[in-house]
Amino acid sequence: MTRRLRPVGLGFTEDAPTRLVFTARASAAPDAVYRALAEEVTGWPSWFRAVTLARPTRGGGGREVRLMGGVRFQETVMAAVPGRRYAYRVDETNVPAVRALLEEWLLTPADRSPGTGTAPGTPATPAAPATPAMPVAPGTAAPGTLVRWTFAADGPPAFRLALAASRPALGHSFRTAVRTLDARLAARPRS
């Protein structure tokens, strides 16, 4: 049965009862990662294994997403800033107990000093250990994109506990998706 969720704004990523934040590094530029996230929505199943269907709705203002196991979402795109930010709120779902859900993808050029784990201007989040930096020759900038995914949700205590317990699996799924996306982007012919 599909249920309507509480509408939340972008501030929910900061004040949600449950916030899971993950980071990963892609060698692709922020603009290429953004295009895959926001403009090539139907391509999500090719790089995010849990996604079985993704398609834009309402002229790009919304999305329909289906996950493995039969989970369905109807979403509203809340932010689409090319090369920087993509966020969407779940309006309807068949997932029991969830009351509100918002996901945000922040993209930052990964031109940070080697070994710092975060890009300049990216706040450190205790709940989000950074992905270890890739080796970079001394005195050079690290190429690519630091991808930060925030999964913000609300539901009853049992739902929040189950979501917290799923943190390792969600983190693994996210890191695998970013690696797969990065490999797909690297294989594209350069224009």
Side-chain angles (χ1 to χ4, degrees), residues 32-46:
V33 175
Y34 175 84
R35 275 192 302 279
L37 289 171
E39 297 171 7
E40 300 167 359
V41 173
T42 58
W44 278 56
S46 69

Side-chain angles (χ1 to χ4, degrees), residues 29-110:
D31 287 338
V33 175
Y34 175 84
R35 275 192 302 279
L37 289 171
E39 297 171 7
E40 300 167 359
V41 173
T42 58
W44 278 56
S46 69
W47 57 268
F48 207 129
R49 189 170 158 215
V51 177
T52 62
L53 174 123
R55 69 178 185 88
T57 60
R58 299 189 317 262
R63 302 177 351 145
E64 175 186 1
V65 174
R66 293 181 187 209
L67 305 179
M68 293 171 97
V71 172
R72 296 183 311 273
F73 298 119
Q74 289 294 327
E75 303 169 339
T76 295
V77 174
M78 302 294 289
V81 181
R84 298 189 57 204
R85 183 183 200 193
Y86 186 58
Y88 41 89
R89 173 188 70 215
V90 174
D91 297 318
E92 295 179 11
T93 185
N94 62 342
V95 176
V98 64
R99 293 181 189 140
L101 178 59
L102 183 101
E103 296 179 42
E104 177 184 60
W105 298 70
L106 293 177
L107 310 174
T108 308

Side-chain angles (χ1 to χ4, degrees), residues 127-146:
T131 300
M134 294 169 55
V136 177
T140 63
T145 304
L146 183 67

